[in-house]
Amino acid sequence: MDRLIAKISSGVGRKRKKSSAPILVRLSSKRNGDMCVLSDEDDSSDEDYVPNDELEDVTQKTKVTKKKRKVEVKQSVTQADLSVHANAWSNYIPAEVLLKIFQLAVASESSKLKLLLRLSTVCKQWRSVSTDPSLWHSLDLSFGWIKSQEMALKNLLDRGYLSQLRHLCLSECKKVNSKLIQFVVDKFPGLKSLNIQGCDKVRPDSLKYIARGFEGLEALNISNMNSCGELSAGICDILTQHCATLEKVEVAGCLNTRIHKAVFTSIKSLKQLTLLDISHAVLPDHSTLLQMFEAISSSLEVLRMSQCSTAQAVTDDLESETYFPNLIEFTAPKTKLTLTIFLRNSPNLKYLDLRGWNLAHMQCLFDGLSLPKLQSLNLCDVSLVNGIEMDLSMLVENLEELDISWLKNCSDSAFNCILTSLLGSTGEKLKVLHCSGTAIVMSQLRALLRNFPNLETLNIESCRQLPRGIKRKYEGKFEVTALRKKCALSA
């Protein structure tokens, strides 16, 4: 004990020499009886001695290995999960069932191409199912919403899954030319419907190629092509070649000269025709026109003759007994001859468009006229005549849509007569009413809102007699109801 105290006291106040090697200072329990001895000796000679640097390296390595193990475990779990999810569709939903789901989705979707392209980006199985030819019976590339270069269109149309394509729409694609039309005819000889409306670069000789290339064309739309003056021969070839199968023919803006009489003669051979659009055409003589109507009257459902004119003067005593039992939609030209025929002999008419008409030519037609199934009547831009009033009481019972916007030469008494005929009906079925640009006043607006409780759309834009803040278009029952409350508060 005395020696230990002497050693400790002798070391006080002395500077200790630094050793080259680090010394671990620790408490060792060396028992001498009941006494614990403090030892500061160098332990480098011990068997279990480990330097500090190596200890730090070992601890860092263990941490790194632990992190690696965690990452490896996470990666293995993620890969396993991915493999499970990748096989989930094929395990739980067979390709046949998925194809049926896609077919139902495509049938209810207007933009089928966008939908199928989005479905193809989900997974490999969805991509495989989305390229099934049964989903690609129709293809709409109208208005050039994709890259409309000629090579891009060719590459798209050259896909293998388009082998069953039956309906193709290239409307308003400005890059479509005669070479692409020939490619389409060679690639899809079984095409049933072709729409090249507004394709200005298609030459007239391509129509002859269409007439001879397709096997059984059912619908054709070549409206508004700039080369219309030279299309007569090509249109006649198509009508003659496919007279047994053609059901829809749209040639609006292509018959605006007198040289197309042969086209109207060829239309007579279309026994299955259901839709005919000859808008902006110069109509032939009355005998040719009546013969055409008599030939197609039994099957015709839609006839559009907007802005048509006649090369022959109209005679008031010319009438026809032609009957149109299946006609549903009619857009009238500004000739009394055709209007008399269709309004008197079309009991199943549902949609009647008389835009731009002169009331002096059709006042006698509304007297006693009965169209019990009429659902939509368009009288926009109709020109009224002083002293002549229009009574719509016989036409509005079953109407769902009525347009009396921008009436010309409409006096207060004439407009009051129109509103009186409207308010005299039950008005339970009317859902859409357009009155923009009229002389309607606040009291008449309240009466209309009360009489037509099921209104969903009301257009009162530019009505100068109405107060500010309500002259706009109301769409939806919520907005119309809000207008009712506003009109009731202002009463």
Side-chain angles (χ1 to χ4, degrees):
M1 184 67 180
D2 297 334
R3 292 180 182 177
L4 177 59
I5 294 173
K7 287 183 180 180
I8 293 174
S9 60
S10 62
V12 175
R14 295 182 182 179
K15 291 184 179 181
R16 188 173 181 176
K17 294 182 181 180
K18 295 182 179 180
S19 60
S20 59
I23 300 175
L24 292 178
V25 179
R26 62 182 181 180
L27 289 174
S28 60
S29 55
K30 296 182 180 179
R31 291 186 177 274
N32 293 326
D34 295 332
M35 186 179 295
C36 290
V37 181
L38 180 64
S39 175
D40 58 350
E41 297 176 355
D42 186 5
D43 297 336
S44 59
S45 60
D46 296 346
E47 294 180 356
D48 57 347
Y49 172 76
V50 179
N52 284 342
D53 296 340
E54 294 183 9
L55 281 174
E56 292 178 0
D57 295 340
V58 171
T59 54
Q60 290 179 0
K61 288 181 180 180
T62 54
K63 290 181 180 180
V64 172
T65 52
K66 287 181 180 180
K67 288 182 179 180
K68 287 184 177 180
R69 287 177 183 176
K70 290 181 180 180
V71 172
E72 290 176 357
V73 171
K74 288 182 179 180
Q75 289 180 352
S76 62
V77 171
T78 305
Q79 292 176 358
D81 291 341
L82 288 176
S83 62
V84 171
H85 290 299
N87 297 325
W89 288 109
S90 58
N91 290 336
Y92 298 105
I93 301 182
E96 295 80 6
V97 177
L98 195 60
L99 176 61
K100 184 63 177 178
I101 295 174
F102 284 6
Q103 289 174 348
L104 295 175
V106 167
S108 61
E109 182 70 20
S110 57
S111 55
K112 300 179 182 180
L113 179 60
K114 293 182 181 179
L115 175 63
L116 290 174
L117 291 179
R118 289 171 181 171
L119 293 177
S120 64
T121 60
V122 175
C123 63
K124 290 183 179 180
Q125 190 192 19
W126 281 42
R127 180 177 180 82
S128 176
V129 175
S130 63
T131 56
D132 190 277
S134 62
L135 297 173
W136 296 87
H137 287 168
S138 62
L139 182 60
D140 187 357
L141 303 177
S142 58
F143 301 102
W145 68 270
I146 64 166
K147 292 182 179 180
S148 58
Q149 286 83 3
E150 180 185 353
M151 289 305 300
L153 289 174
K154 278 188 176 181
N155 293 334
L156 179 61
L157 295 173
D158 201 19
R159 304 296 176 90
Y161 49 80
L162 296 178
S163 58
Q164 299 182 14
L165 187 65
R166 294 295 178 267
H167 308 280
L168 178 61
C169 179
L170 299 172
S171 175
E172 302 297 336
C173 289
K174 300 303 181 182
K175 297 297 181 179
V176 174
N177 52 24
S178 298
K179 292 182 179 180
L180 186 63
I181 295 299
Q182 293 180 4
F183 173 80
V184 170
V185 174
D186 295 336
K187 180 70 176 179
F188 311 107
L191 203 66
K192 300 298 181 184
S193 173
L194 178 62
N195 187 343
I196 52 175
Q197 175 185 357
C199 297
D200 303 332
K201 295 185 178 181
V202 178
R203 296 193 304 269
D205 56 351
S206 298
L207 298 183
K208 297 183 179 181
Y209 200 73
I210 291 174
R212 297 177 177 85
F214 292 123
E215 298 173 355
L217 199 62
E218 297 178 357
L220 177 66
N221 188 346
I222 56 173
S223 301
N224 303 323
M225 295 175 63
N226 286 341
S227 56
C228 55
E230 306 173 5
L231 296 177
S232 179
I235 294 175
C236 289
D237 287 345
I238 294 175
L239 299 181
T240 304
Q241 189 71 24
H242 301 277
C243 60
T245 58
L246 268 176
E247 298 178 0
K248 299 179 181 180
V249 176
E250 299 178 66
V251 289
C254 297
L255 307 175
N256 54 0
T257 61
R258 300 184 183 184
I259 64 174
H260 299 294
K261 181 179 178 180
V263 176
F264 293 95
T265 305
S266 301
I267 292 176
K268 296 189 296 184
S269 62
L270 305 179
K271 302 301 181 182
Q272 305 295 328
L273 190 64
T274 60
L275 186 151
L276 177 62
D277 188 352
I278 53 175
S279 300
H280 302 276
V282 176
L283 301 178
D285 57 277
H286 294 160
S287 59
T288 304
L289 192 62
L290 291 177
Q291 290 175 7
M292 182 189 74
F293 287 151
E294 291 175 358
I296 63 177
S297 61
S298 60
S299 60
L300 195 62
E301 297 179 2
V302 178
L303 178 60
R304 300 176 185 141
M305 303 176 66
S306 176
Q307 303 297 323
C308 286
S309 59
T310 56
Q312 182 180 355
V314 178
T315 56
D316 295 335
D317 57 348
L318 186 60
E319 294 183 359
S320 174
E321 298 298 329
T322 306
Y323 189 68
F324 299 88
N326 299 315
L327 190 65
I328 297 176
E329 178 184 341
F330 177 53
T331 303
K334 296 182 179 180
T335 58
K336 185 178 178 180
L337 165 68
T338 52
L339 188 61
T340 305
I341 295 173
F342 288 99
L343 290 188
R344 296 295 182 184
N345 302 327
S346 304
N348 295 317
L349 196 64
K350 294 183 179 181
Y351 307 96
L352 178 59
D353 190 345
L354 299 175
R355 279 177 290 184
W357 259 79
N358 192 327
L359 185 61
H361 294 163
M362 63 181 183
Q363 174 60 30
C364 59
L365 300 175
F366 285 104
D367 295 338
L369 180 64
S370 178
L371 295 173
K373 297 184 179 181
L374 191 65
Q375 297 178 1
S376 176
L377 177 61
N378 193 334
L379 299 175
C380 178
D381 204 27
V382 166
S383 179
L384 304 180
V385 180
N386 293 331
I388 298 180
E389 297 179 348
M390 183 166 51
D391 186 4
L392 302 177
S393 58
M394 300 296 294
L395 302 175
V396 298
E397 289 297 330
N398 297 314
L399 276 184
E400 297 180 2
E401 181 177 359
L402 176 62
D403 191 344
I404 54 173
S405 302
W406 302 104
L407 298 176
K408 295 180 179 178
N409 303 323
C410 184
S411 61
D412 293 340
S413 60
F415 186 70
N416 290 334
C417 179
I418 295 174
L419 289 182
T420 302
S421 63
L422 290 178
L423 296 174
S425 62
T426 56
E428 295 180 355
K429 297 183 179 181
L430 192 64
K431 297 180 179 180
V432 181
L433 179 60
H434 297 275
C435 301
S436 58
T438 60
I440 188 172
V441 296
M442 198 65 184
S443 59
Q444 294 171 338
L445 178 60
R446 294 193 191 98
L448 288 175
L449 292 173
R450 287 194 302 267
N451 195 66
F452 303 121
N454 297 320
L455 270 181
E456 298 179 359
T457 301
L458 177 62
N459 190 351
I460 50 175
E461 296 175 339
S462 303
C463 295
R464 296 185 177 182
Q465 303 298 329
L466 295 177
R468 293 181 178 179
I470 65 171
K471 294 183 287 186
R472 66 180 185 89
K473 186 176 182 180
Y474 297 86
E475 293 182 306
K477 289 186 177 181
F478 179 79
E479 293 188 0
V480 176
T481 302
L483 176 63
R484 283 195 178 93
K485 294 179 180 179
K486 191 172 184 178
C487 291
L489 293 175
S490 61

